[in-house]
Amino acid sequence: MGNFGRVPVGVVGASDYGGVQLVRLLMDHPEVELVYLGNQSSIGKPFADLYPQLAHAVNQKIEAVDPEVIAQRCEAVFICLPNGQACEIAPQLLEKGCKVLDLSADYRFNHLATYTAWYNKERTDRSTAAVAVYGLPELYRDRISEAQLIGCPGCYPTASLLALSPLLKQGLIVPETAIIDAKSGTSGGGRQAKINMLLAEADNSLAAYSVSRHHHTPEIEQICSDLAGHEVTIQFTPHLIPMVRGILATVYATLRDPGLVRDDLITIFRAFYRNSPWIKICDPGIYPQTKWAYGSNLCYIGIEVDPRTGRAIVVSVIDNLIKGQAGQAIQCLNIMMDWDETLGLPKLGFYP
């Protein structure tokens, strides 16, 4: 255990945007002590060399990713590595008794064949993957509380599934009619240099990408199928928008009962999320903006019904780096440790 009985935790892959968000949030968490920062590409560098603005708060160096060393020092480990790397070290950490929260796609799927088909990597850790729990607390809180391994959701699936879940779980829509139109800021692409993320390329422009083949599609479909009770195919199109952070997902779906009106759906959503402190359902006629969630772990949801088309329209916004990544992972850790779900997480966004 760490100082004053705090739980010692580590971050593997601390140098990317998700990693630095975790460092920032964990430094202020009252029940944990950040004792390890790891990344193979920056071994020996002070963390402050990568993020000088944190020099006054973080004096640790980046260390090698050695599961033996990590397990000796950490009770819980966050893995923020590219897809296909967490599965190489997570089994070893679990064997040594660590709780593992993976922020990549490696442990999000019930069937590794689906992962292989979309991520082009063969896996040998079938028994480890079988015990992973999908880390969306609003749906799987009870499972998370008993888990040792969490596959934390992607940012697009988080925003999209929070908009769709009440509709699917209550059987209010025809599942196959669901369409997700989602837009993300550039931080969703990580800190690595990419041509399409350059200011000259992304600014004053809006573009769809990975149309019909985005790797978050099977993740969304898996959870939608679980909620609906049968296999569901979803149309999902992501877009890059010229801002740093935030996701807005607009979901359209045909209602089974054409007599349902907006107030009915608002009542249903509020009941569905009555025990979910991070979900805020907007009043009638109010539709959220990404800036509302900026810097917080909140998800704002606005709801409408179009009587002409018989469709429900649900708008969901989150900060992709907090509720869509680091914040949600800490939310899961809080549940795993039987702490208050909101502990150490920002409850209000930055505005304006």
Side-chain angles (χ1 to χ4, degrees):
M1 300 295 284
N3 293 335
F4 309 111
R6 292 186 174 190
V7 173
V9 302
V11 177
V12 179
S15 60
D16 208 344
Y17 289 142
V20 72
Q21 299 300 314
L22 275 169
V23 170
R24 178 175 71 87
L25 295 172
L26 292 169
M27 290 290 292
D28 287 335
H29 196 294
E31 296 292 343
V32 307
E33 181 184 358
L34 186 59
V35 299
Y36 166 86
L37 298 174
N39 205 74
Q40 287 300 116
S41 63
S42 309
I43 297 172
K45 286 186 178 180
F47 191 72
D49 281 5
L50 304 177
Y51 295 99
Q53 71 271 32
L54 299 180
H56 65 286
V58 184
N59 58 11
Q60 292 167 257
K61 290 185 177 182
I62 302 293
E63 302 181 49
V65 180
D66 184 336
E68 187 76 36
V69 172
I70 298 169
Q72 287 175 0
R73 287 159 54 186
C74 300
E75 184 173 338
V77 184
F78 297 88
I79 303 179
C80 302
L81 296 173
N83 299 322
Q85 295 186 22
C87 59
E88 304 292 341
I89 64 170
Q92 301 171 65
L93 293 171
L94 290 165
E95 277 185 14
K96 297 179 185 301
C98 294
K99 296 181 186 297
V100 176
L101 300 102
D102 175 32
L103 280 72
S104 78
D106 287 12
Y107 292 105
R108 295 173 186 166
F109 294 95
N110 295 334
H111 305 292
L112 286 184
T114 304
Y115 175 92
T116 298
W118 286 80
Y119 290 87
N120 300 315
K121 180 180 175 66
E122 294 292 338
R123 299 273 290 277
T124 59
D125 59 329
R126 192 170 303 276
S127 60
T128 301
V131 302
V133 172
Y134 192 72
L136 191 58
E138 289 74 19
L139 295 183
Y140 302 115
R141 189 175 285 106
D142 290 345
R143 299 185 200 174
I144 292 169
S145 69
E146 300 176 351
Q148 290 293 112
L149 172 61
I150 303 295
C152 297
C155 50
Y156 276 128
T158 294
S160 303
L161 291 168
L162 291 174
L164 272 169
S165 292
L167 300 174
L168 288 165
K169 189 68 174 177
Q170 305 298 334
L172 301 176
I173 60 171
V174 180
E176 291 73 18
T177 66
I179 296 173
I180 302 168
D181 180 298
K183 298 169 179 65
S184 174
T186 58
S187 61
R191 206 183 190 204
Q192 294 76 28
K194 299 172 185 175
I195 290 176
N196 69 315
M197 299 294 181
L198 295 172
L199 179 64
E201 300 284 340
D203 195 30
N204 294 308
S205 184
L206 176 61
Y209 63 98
S210 299
V211 177
S212 81
R213 283 295 299 174
H214 193 278
H215 54 242
H216 281 155
T217 302
E219 181 183 340
I220 295 170
E221 290 181 341
Q222 171 183 270
I223 306 305
C224 287
S225 299
D226 181 37
L227 292 166
H230 60 85
E231 190 169 340
V232 173
T233 300
I234 298 291
Q235 195 74 61
F236 167 62
T237 305
H239 302 75
L240 182 68
I241 197 162
M243 61 185 187
V244 173
R245 59 203 295 166
I247 281 182
L248 185 147
T250 303
V251 174
Y252 307 87
T254 300
L255 290 165
R256 291 189 187 276
D257 181 354
L260 286 173
V261 297
R262 177 180 64 192
D263 286 354
D264 295 328
L265 294 190
I266 289 175
T267 298
I268 290 167
F269 269 67
R270 285 179 172 161
F272 188 88
Y273 289 122
R274 63 188 178 277
N275 296 317
S276 298
W278 295 112
I279 310 300
K280 305 302 176 186
I281 308 302
C282 298
D283 289 338
I286 303 297
Y287 313 108
Q289 305 171 26
T290 54
K291 187 165 282 191
W292 293 6
Y294 192 101
S296 80
N297 198 54
L298 293 167
C299 173
Y300 289 93
I301 295 176
I303 301 165
E304 191 54 83
V305 170
D306 187 343
R308 297 180 313 106
T309 61
R311 292 192 184 101
I313 304 167
V314 184
V315 181
S316 169
V317 302
I318 62 171
D319 184 321
N320 58 296
L321 296 176
I322 308 296
K323 180 58 175 166
Q325 196 168 18
Q328 183 148 262
I330 293 173
Q331 185 182 350
C332 288
L333 177 66
N334 286 341
I335 295 169
M336 295 168 80
M337 302 301 296
D338 197 26
W339 298 330
D340 186 299
E341 194 170 319
T342 66
L343 203 61
L345 291 170
K347 300 176 176 65
L348 293 173
F350 308 131
Y351 191 90

